[in-house]
């Protein structure tokens, strides 16, 4: 993957669509009539790498945006060119030097601010949340903490990323490097969750969103089951979600549909046989007709048409 690509002049809506397809729901703020940018993704081991280049002023994400994404990630942002300030909660990281980095939690609102006079380039490693939490679910990862490119950990992580980008897909070396990188990130960013300084309501909301992402594919999962798992009443859950402009049933459907779509894309890339009915049940849909109706309402096409569009 080359870390510098020719930039294109894009209408704001076109840029927004391309960014969303690769990174999820973020909103771009710009005073210009167009964006000079480029976005692309490459699959490596446990995660995806996204190269994001642009001259926007801000890219922001709130709880409404979070609710529209079916997957939960940590984004390891590695700075390449330009100037960027990344804020999440009370934490703020300023990235100036090539190789400076920080970790962003996709389940928390965030603001990325840039100097629009400069073309900013960043490499974003999308790490599924469950990978970093699988060994110890009680560990919390510090968002928006600056890791300097010149620090020992910064140099180690940058070296691992460079090697991982240059390894062959699905090779033993790729898996080894991917696991080694995860260990480095856990060692650098993780600490006990009782150090969380978020307000009680924010912690409760993030707890609910984490449970939704972990259990949304279960058969019959609903607000009642969410109440059992969270220890909150259904009334408290509905109030917390409503304050953030969210709705439980809508979030469950969004998560199921987007994970189903990602699974379709993976099956297509790997050339595996497609079994729509089995996939529907795996993703929490009671039957194929319900899946088709909701999928077409969300994406505008049927699952099979979606695959045909994705292949073209």
């Amino acid at each position: 993957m080359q870390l510098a690509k020719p930039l294109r002049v894009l209408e704001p809506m076109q840029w927004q669509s391309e960014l969303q397809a690769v990174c999820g729901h973020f909103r771009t703020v710009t005073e210009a009539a167009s964006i000079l940018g480029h976005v692309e993704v490459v699959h490596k081991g446990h995660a995806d790498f996204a190269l994001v280049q642009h001259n926007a002023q801000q890219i922001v994400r709130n709880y409404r945006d979070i609710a529209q994404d079916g997957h939960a990630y940590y984004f390891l942002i590695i700075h390449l060119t330009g100037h960027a300030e990344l804020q999440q909660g009370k934490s703020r990281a300023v990235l100036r030097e090539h190789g400076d980095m920080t970790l962003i939690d996709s389940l928390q609102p965030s603001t990325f601010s840039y100097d629009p006079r400069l073309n900013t380039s960043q490499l974003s490693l999308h790490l599924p949340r469950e990978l970093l939490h699988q060994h110890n679910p009680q560990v919390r990862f510090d968002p928006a903490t600056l890791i300097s490119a010149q620090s020992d950990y910064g140099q180690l992580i940058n070296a691992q990323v460079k090697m991982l980008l240059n390894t062959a897909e699905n090779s033993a070396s790729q898996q080894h490097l991917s696991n080694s990188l995860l260990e480095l990130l856990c060692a650098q960013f993780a600490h006990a969750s009782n150090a969380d300084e978020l307000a009680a309501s924010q912690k409760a909301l993030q707890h609910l969103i984490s449970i939704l992402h972990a259990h949304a594919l279960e058969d019959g999962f609903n607000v009642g089951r969410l109440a059992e798992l969270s220890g909150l009443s259904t009334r408290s859950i509905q109030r917390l979600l409503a304050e953030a402009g969210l709705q439980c049933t809508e979030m469950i459907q969004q998560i199921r549909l987007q994970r189903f779509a990602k699974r379709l894309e993976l099956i297509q890339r790997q050339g595996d046989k497609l079994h729509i009915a089995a996939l529907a049940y795996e993703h929490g849909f009671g039957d194929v007709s319900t899946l088709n109706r909701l999928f077409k309402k969300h994406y505008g096409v049927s699952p099979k048409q979606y695959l045909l569009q994705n292949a073209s």
Side-chain angles (χ1 to χ4, degrees), residues 285-301:
F285 299 101
D287 52 65
V288 175
S289 62
T290 299
L291 164 67
N292 285 333
R293 175 174 54 81
L294 293 174
F295 194 94
K296 190 165 186 178
K297 181 179 178 182
H298 184 76
Y299 290 100
V301 293

Side-chain angles (χ1 to χ4, degrees), residues 1 22-23 39-42 48-52 122-126:
M1 183 181 189
V22 171
C23 298
V39 187
E40 71 170 275
V41 65
V42 64
D48 294 339
F49 283 95
L51 176 63
V52 182
Q122 293 176 327
L123 189 65
S124 177
L125 174 57
H126 300 177

Side-chain angles (χ1 to χ4, degrees), residues 1 3 42-45 49 78 123 125 153-182 184:
M1 183 181 189
L3 298 185
V42 64
H43 308 285
K44 288 286 183 179
F49 283 95
I78 301 176
L123 189 65
L125 174 57
Y153 267 108
Q155 292 181 52
L156 281 170
I157 293 171
N158 275 305
Q160 290 280 331
V161 167
K162 184 176 180 180
M163 287 189 289
L164 184 56
L165 284 170
N166 290 320
T167 56
E169 182 69 17
N170 297 321
S171 66
S173 296
Q174 183 189 79
Q175 292 303 318
H176 174 74
L177 286 168
S178 183
N179 290 332
S180 178
L181 179 58
L182 286 174
L184 276 173

Side-chain angles (χ1 to χ4, degrees), residues 208 221-234 237:
L208 291 176
F221 186 80
N222 56 22
V223 68
R225 179 61 176 150
L226 180 58
E228 291 177 16
L229 293 170
S230 66
L232 298 172
S233 68
T234 56
I237 290 171

